[in-house]
Amino acid sequence: MKESYTHGHQTPVLNAHQQRTIDNSAAYLRPYLAPGMNLLDIGAGPGSITADFARLTGKVTATEIGEEELNLCKRHLLDKGLTVEQGISAKFSVENVHHLSFSDNIFDIAHAHQVIQHVSNPIQALTEMARVVRPGGYVAIRDADYESFFWFPASSKISRWRELYLQVARNNGGEPSAGRRLLSYARQAGLSGARFTTSTWTYTGEEAQQLACSWAERIEQTVLGQQIVETGLTSIQELQEVAQEWREWGSQPGALFVIPHGELLWQKP
Ligand SMILES: C[S@@+](CC[C@H](N)C(=O)[O-])C[C@H]1O[C@@H](n2cnc3c(N)ncnc32)[C@H](O)[C@@H]1O
């Protein structure tokens, strides 16, 4: 099945992803983190969550789909001084979550944030994550649920943006509403007894405005907009109108945007 990463790794995407921390993106996992743990961060992206993990556990392996993408995370950890000299063991590996190159039972935690929504076979991905975790260790996954996003004031053009995003993400082999499906994926992968929780990102005031500008830029400047037009889903003109609407919507004083997520935590017996 076709699979490609919908967002790409251009600047507006990286700027948005670099805001992520354990506090805002992996709080459900925090009680299980301890110094000395060997943590695998799959699809680490620009690495801001990975850096937080490194500070807490001292031992991380970050993966990405290619060398170029992996270098983003490497550079971030270096920039933050998270090096061997500071007592941090950071390893980096190009990996596809469907076929991890690691031996069985070696990590204390296998973590993936906003990755499973982009993969063509989430059941296989979870099976692989479970394989590389040691007995007693954890698989930890968090994904947004695009069809649950809500915002105010209403905007038909932002509704249209979501419709286009859902189509392009599904054309790319992903499931943008993976959040609600995580527990079902776990059952199908044989991960019984997994715990499912939810949490949200909430944007108001200046943060809503920044989010709106970020989506406008992502439509105008990244592979996302290109893919929407190239796959014939809409015209460049409609996309420009949607980008413009994002900016206008975000500048309204009461604008708010909420992104619900599903979270899965499974302990290997
Ligand atoms: C939305 S980003 C999330 C980055 C990071 N985890 C974060 O939350 O900031 C998703 C990442 O998953 C990676 N990815 C996509 N498909 C993948 C696959 N099949 N296996 C492993 N990683 C994948 C992408 O390259 C991308 O960097």
Side-chain angles (χ1 to χ4, degrees):
M1 193 198 213
K2 177 192 167 190
E3 178 187 295
S4 64
Y5 176 50
T6 303
H7 295 293
H9 292 87
Q10 285 116 325
T11 308
V13 178
L14 299 180
N15 287 344
H17 291 181
Q18 259 156 5
Q19 311 298 321
R20 298 174 183 172
T21 61
I22 291 179
D23 279 350
N24 65 30
S25 300
Y28 71 103
L29 181 58
R30 186 182 266 281
Y32 304 89
L33 297 169
M37 276 184 164
N38 188 13
L39 187 143
L40 174 66
D41 195 15
I42 296 169
S48 60
I49 305 176
T50 322
D52 259 7
F53 284 143
R55 286 183 195 100
L56 240 155
T57 66
K59 202 171 178 187
V60 290
T61 299
T63 84
E64 256 305 334
I65 47 175
E67 285 294 348
E68 214 177 304
E69 293 82 358
L70 198 55
N71 280 336
L72 299 167
C73 179
K74 265 186 208 172
R75 264 204 306 272
H76 184 75
L77 265 63
L78 271 179
D79 287 351
K80 297 292 169 193
L82 297 163
T83 57
V84 175
E85 293 75 29
Q86 301 306 315
I88 304 289
S89 160
K91 294 182 184 159
F92 302 91
S93 184
V94 172
E95 300 282 339
N96 185 321
V97 67
H98 295 117
H99 308 282
L100 296 172
S101 68
F102 308 109
S103 311
D104 297 356
N105 305 322
I106 58 170
F107 293 102
D108 294 303
I109 295 176
H111 169 263
H113 185 250
Q114 314 287 18
V115 176
I116 297 305
Q117 65 188 276
H118 298 291
V119 310
S120 57
N121 190 336
I123 317 297
Q124 190 179 333
L126 266 66
T127 305
E128 273 296 86
M129 290 176 75
R131 179 183 66 76
V132 300
V133 160
R134 67 162 171 84
Y138 293 91
V139 168
I141 296 172
R142 183 172 188 259
D143 271 282
D145 193 283
Y146 274 70
E147 281 162 299
S148 304
F149 289 11
F150 65 89
W151 55 88
F152 189 84
S155 157
S156 58
K157 289 208 176 77
I158 294 180
S159 299
R160 176 72 176 138
W161 158 83
R162 174 164 59 187
E163 204 178 288
L164 292 168
Y165 181 86
L166 293 173
Q167 286 182 48
V168 81
R170 285 176 180 145
N171 280 349
N172 285 339
E175 174 42 69
S177 294
R180 70 186 67 183
R181 291 173 167 81
L182 293 180
L183 196 54
S184 163
Y185 295 156
R187 287 215 178 94
Q188 292 174 72
L191 277 55
S192 59
R195 197 185 77 181
F196 180 78
T197 51
T198 57
S199 61
T200 55
W201 286 335
T202 301
Y203 302 84
T204 59
E206 213 172 292
E207 285 181 352
Q209 192 162 12
Q210 281 165 8
L211 177 81
C213 284
S214 166
W215 273 113
E217 288 172 3
R218 288 162 76 166
I219 289 166
E220 290 168 343
Q221 300 168 22
T222 74
V223 289
L224 175 63
Q226 282 165 26
Q227 293 170 89
I228 292 175
V229 174
E230 279 164 16
T231 46
L233 294 174
T234 186
S235 61
I236 292 181
Q237 194 195 332
E238 191 190 17
L239 262 196
Q240 284 168 347
E241 286 168 15
V242 169
Q244 181 56 24
E245 169 67 5
W246 264 116
R247 291 200 172 86
E248 285 167 19
W249 177 88
S251 62
Q252 298 171 91
L256 69 84
F257 202 95
V258 178
I259 300 188
H261 291 78
E263 299 159 339
L264 188 88
L265 190 71
W266 175 74
Q267 187 174 28
K268 189 165 177 176

